[in-house]
Each structure stands twice: as structure tokens, then as C-alpha cells.
């Protein structure tokens, strides 16, 4: 089935993926393409509409990114957001000037004219702005529909050509009625019915898997125990049945009792074909003496490939490797627009096909985490499992700062189990994106009873997020933090201090390493 599609041309905004997610929440299929995608390529996709994202550049800069001017003559509605509006203005003969005062953060815009894009019945909107340039004069044929104190043209439109511009971000939660604005664009202006759901995605993904794998292809899937790899395995199992074999490698870096829980879930409740390999001592041995976080990730990734390859060769011939890669994995490892420095290497992005000589099957590569959860629900997974918090591929190794040893793993496992248990008891587990413990390479003096101690410190990390791209530290109740601290210090011998991490992403990452 060919879905109505809106394409987002990415000029480098931190909010580009958020635009796509907001449109997908309206059941409108949305793809992100580089800003310089050729008009011919855009035309092949037959989009219902185009969105030009914001971006960090100034359109006045000689090195600024520009799209082909033919984009504005493609015969489909175009919405320019922030930089995208300025790009539309520049390309069509309007005037963009440096703003006397940069607008960043909350701003108020006054609605000056009736509009198909802006919400009806409002005279003023509180919006989120982020721009250093302004549109001083709209192109010929455009009507100014909103202004602000610092922007004489805060919104503009030319309905006859179906061209629209906003100098603020409707995709950000801080903008009043931003969802209504995007809905007006997608439904009323572009005519999208909203025909993309996780149920339809599941049916189509199963069909794509069958087509790619063929009638006799065999697939091996690495199961981590998380929702991403589990949903991947379920799609494959429904598509090709017993031509799928799942491999679960116990790397010895999992949480308390997790390996046994995974075995029971997949072999018993889900009846997936599963091979379990206990390789914990092998992984921990290779990490001996290693303290650099990137070296840890590389060693764990290489060791996983070694073990996975050996197990796969031992159980037969396979043609495809399935992975639960998600869109944020790809974004953080490979820049969408231009060169950038990857934040960290991902264990399931790149490298595996060449080494293992399998073709890849990645049915979730275009999805965000919340969409995978919705897909899991559509496939019949129980709610508790669907809402299991994300866990890093390298496991507890990136939550132990410094050397990974069996003793430190034991300390962290027991402390982490207390953190998660108390968060669940407080009814906050599902609200939080992640909540966990980190073992610091710091020992400090304490007093327990009448004795002096010199033991390790645990940091508690809890964040709220929609997809892990950005995150804010969670304002946990003091009573909950007190309960966690008391239990960890009293029940985990070797820990005498607990601290709470109040850093957001950015500038920090969610995981400490």
C-alpha cells in the first residue's frame, strides 16, 4: 500500500526529527531527506506536501545550505519553518535581514489575518522561537498572517501557490496549539487522510520481510531482551516462521537475574526459536584493565561479533542478519545533514554485514522508540514488557566508570535493582524514560555503626524523554530518593554514598559513558 507522504527537508535543526514525529502522530507517513535532495527524487516519491525544517545557519551566510528553487514549484503544499521560512523568502524574492534582537525561547505572536494554517479563534499565540534573522519583507503574492515584537513577518502564506511560512516552531510542545497548526497543514492543506498506523505498518513490514528474504532464505536475529529486538523477532517469525533462529548472547553485563528472565520469556511465553550462549566470563575477561568508555564499547562490540559468529556457524547456514536498529541509532551514528562528530559508536549500526557476510534485515530502522512500543502493542506484547525502559547494548559496562570487574558488576546489579524497584513502587516507572544506577570510581569515608568505612559511590540517574534524542532530568520526590539511598547503603555492602544526577541531554548524554 502506498501511503500519502509528507517529506521533511532537513536543514540541520535539532527539531527536524520532532517535526516527523508530530506528523506521524497524526497518522501521516513522514520521511526526512537532506535539504539538497534533487527535485526529481522528490517527485518520484509523489509527496502530498513538503516541510522545510529549521536550521542553525543564516540564509545570509555564503556557506548556508539551500534547496533547489524548483521545490517551490513542485505543485504540492510547502511549509517553511524558521530557517525554512527564511529560505522560502530568499528563493522567492523577499527580504531577510539580521534581526535587531535575536528571538530565542518563548515569544508572543499576534494573528493579523484569517489563515488556513493558523488556528481559528485565536488572536495571539505563545510560541517557541529560535532565530537570529528575520523576514523584513514577504515575497510578492504572500500575505502576512502574524507578527511579533521583533518580527514584522512571523507567519506568511500564499494560498494560491499553497506556500506557507512560520518563523516559530509548531512542533515544539512550548508552542500553543502547535499540533493544530501541523494538523491544518497535513489534513486541510495537503489533504492527507491519516492512513498510516502501526497495524498497517506491521502488515506491510511482514510483507517486505517476505519479499526480501524470499521463499527459502534463512534469518538469524540477535535478541537482547529489549523491546526493539523482540518486536523485530516477532515480525520475522510471523513472516517466515521456522526459517528464523534467534540468538541470545549473555554477555555477563546484564542486570540482576535478567538472563534467566529473557530465557523464560522467549522460550516459554513467546515460543520463539532461541539459542542461548553464556559468554559472560569471556566478555568480562576481555574488559580487564580497560577504563576508556569508547574502548569498552569497541571491545564489547567486537567480542559480540566473535561470539555471535561462532554460534551462528554452529547451528547452520543463514542468509540474513536481523537487527532492531531504530532511527535514533542511525541519527547519532551518522549525521543526516553534512559532516558531524558522532556522539558515540552504536553496537548495532554498521560493521556487522561485512564481518558476518550476511545481508541485513532492519524492519524498525525508520521508527522511533514510542512507535516501536505502539507496534509491540499491535503485535500483542503485554504492556509491562512494551514499556520496559531502554537498556544500552554494552550493558552495565557503560554504567561502571572505570574498570569492569565481577565485584563491581555485583555492586551495581544490586544497587540498580533497588533503584528500579523503588521507582516501580512509587508508580513512576512508565513515566520515566530511564531510571538506573551508575557505579562511580570514587571511594569516600563514611560511618556505619561505630566503624569507619571507605567505600564506593552510586549515582542515581532518572530522565524524562519522548525518544531519547533529548532528555530532562526527572524531579523525583525527595521521599523516593531517600528510600533509594537508605536501601542502597544498608543493603549493598561496599556502597556508603548515593548522589543524584541533575544533568539534562544536551549537554550531557543519558548514559554516563
Amino acid at each position: 500500500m502506498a501511503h500519502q507522504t509528507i517529506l521533511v527537508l532537513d536543514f540541520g535543526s535539532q527539531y527536524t526529527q520532532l517535526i516527523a514525529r508530530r506528523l506521524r502522530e497524526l497518522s501521516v507517513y513522514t520521511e526526512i531527506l537532506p535539504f539538497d535532495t534533487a527535485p526529481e527524487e522528490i517527485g518520484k516519491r509523489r509527496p502530498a506536501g513538503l516541510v522545510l525544517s529549521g536550521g542553525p545557519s543564516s540564509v545570509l551566510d555564503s556557506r548556508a545550505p539551500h534547496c533547489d528553487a524548483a521545490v517551490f514549484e513542485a505543485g504540492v503544499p510547502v511549509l517553511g519553518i524558521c530557517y525554512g521560512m527564511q529560505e522560502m523568502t530568499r528563493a522567492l524574492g523577499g527580504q531577510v535581514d539580521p534581526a535587531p534582537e535575536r528571538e530565542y525561547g518563548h515569544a508572543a505572536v499576534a494573528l493579523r489575518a484569517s489563515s488556513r494554517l493558523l488556528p481559528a479563534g485565536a488572536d495571539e499565540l505563545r510560541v517557541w522561537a529560535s532565530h537570529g534573522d528575520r523576514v523584513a519583507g514577504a515575497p510578492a503574492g504572500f500575505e502576512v498572517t502574524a507578527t511579533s515584537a521583533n518580527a514584522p513577518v512571523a507567519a506568511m502564506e500564499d494560498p494560491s501557490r499553497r506556500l506557507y511560512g512560520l518563523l516559530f516552531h509548531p512542533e515544539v510542545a512550548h508552542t500553543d496549539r502547535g499540533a493544530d497548526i501541523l494538523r491544518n497543514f497535513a489534513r486541510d492543506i495537503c489533504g492527507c487522510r491519516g492512513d498510516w498506523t502501526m497495524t498497517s505498518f506491521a502488515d506491510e513490514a511482514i510483507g517486505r520481510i517476505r519479499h526480501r528474504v524470499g521463499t527459502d532464505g534463512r534469518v538469524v536475529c540477535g535478541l537482547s531482551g529489549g523491546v526493539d529486538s523482540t518486536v523485530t523477532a516477532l515480525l520475522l517469525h510471523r513472516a517466515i516462521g521456522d526459517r528464523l533462529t534467534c540468538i541470545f548472547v549473555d554477555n555477563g553485563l546484564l542486570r540482576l537475574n535478567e538472563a534467566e528472565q529473557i530465557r523464560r520469556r522467549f522460550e516459554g511465553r513467546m515460543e520463539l526459536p532461541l539459542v542461548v550462549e553464556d559468554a559472560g566470563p569471556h566478555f568480562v575477561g576481555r574488559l580487564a584493565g580497560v577504563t576508556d568508555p569508547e574502548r569498552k564499547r569497541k571491545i564489547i562490540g567486537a567480542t559480540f561479533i566473535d561470539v555471535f559468529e561462532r554460534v551462528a556457524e554452529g547451528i547452520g547456514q543463514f542468509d540474513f542478519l536481523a537487527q532492531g536498529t531504530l532511527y535514533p541509532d542511525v541519527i547519532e551514528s551518522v549525521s543526516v545533514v553534512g559532516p558531524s562528530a558522532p556522539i558515540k559508536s552504536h553496537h548495532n549500526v554498521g560493521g556487522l554485514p561485512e564481518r558476518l557476510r550476511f545481508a541485513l534485515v532492519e524492519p524498525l530502522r525508520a521508527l522511533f522508540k514510542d512507535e516501536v512500543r505502539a507496534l509491540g502493542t499491535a503485535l500483542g506484547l503485554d504492556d509491562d514488557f512494551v514499556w520496559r525502559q531502554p537498556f544500552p547494548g554494552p550493558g552495565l559496562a557503560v554504567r561502571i566508570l572505570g574498570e569492569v570487574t565481577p565485584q563491581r558488576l555485583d555492586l551495581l546489579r544490586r544497587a540498580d535493582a533497588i533503584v528500579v524497584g523503588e521507582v516501580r513502587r512509587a508508580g513512576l516507572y512508565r513515566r520515566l524514560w530511564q531510571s538506573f544506577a551508575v557505579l562511580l570510581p570514587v571511594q569516600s569515608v563514611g560511618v556505619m555503626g561505630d566503624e569507619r568505612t571507605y567505600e564506593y559511590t552510586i549515582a542515581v540517574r532518572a530522565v524524562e524523554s519522548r525518544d531519547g534524542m533529548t532528555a530532562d532530568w526527572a524531579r523525583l520526590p525527595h521521599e523516593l530518593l531517600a528510600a533509594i539511598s537508605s536501601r542502597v547503603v544498608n543493603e549493598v555492602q561496599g556502597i556508603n554514598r548515593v548522589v543524584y544526577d541533575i544533568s539534562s541531554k544536551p549537554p550531557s548524554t543519558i548514559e554516563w559513558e
Side-chain angles (χ1 to χ4, degrees), residues 251-255 283-284 287 290-301 391-405 408-409 412-413 437-439 511-513:
N251 59 14
L253 305 171
L254 301 177
R255 290 167 289 196
F283 277 83
V284 176
L287 290 169
V290 177
T291 58
D292 178 74
E294 192 63 10
R295 278 199 65 208
K296 289 182 186 178
R297 287 179 176 270
K298 296 292 187 183
I299 289 170
I300 293 166
F391 187 61
L396 298 180
V398 293
R399 294 178 180 174
I400 295 177
L401 276 61
E403 184 181 7
V404 177
T405 66
R408 290 182 173 183
L409 282 165
L412 182 55
R413 282 194 184 100
V438 179
L439 180 64
E511 300 291 344
W512 278 45
E513 291 190 344

Side-chain angles (χ1 to χ4, degrees), residues 54 68 80 152 409 414 441 454:
D68 194 303
L409 282 165
R414 290 187 287 142
Y454 191 64

Side-chain angles (χ1 to χ4, degrees), residues 440-453:
L440 306 186
V442 175
Q443 290 177 280
S444 62
V445 175
V447 178
M448 300 190 74
D450 293 324
E451 295 185 4
R452 174 187 183 275
T453 62

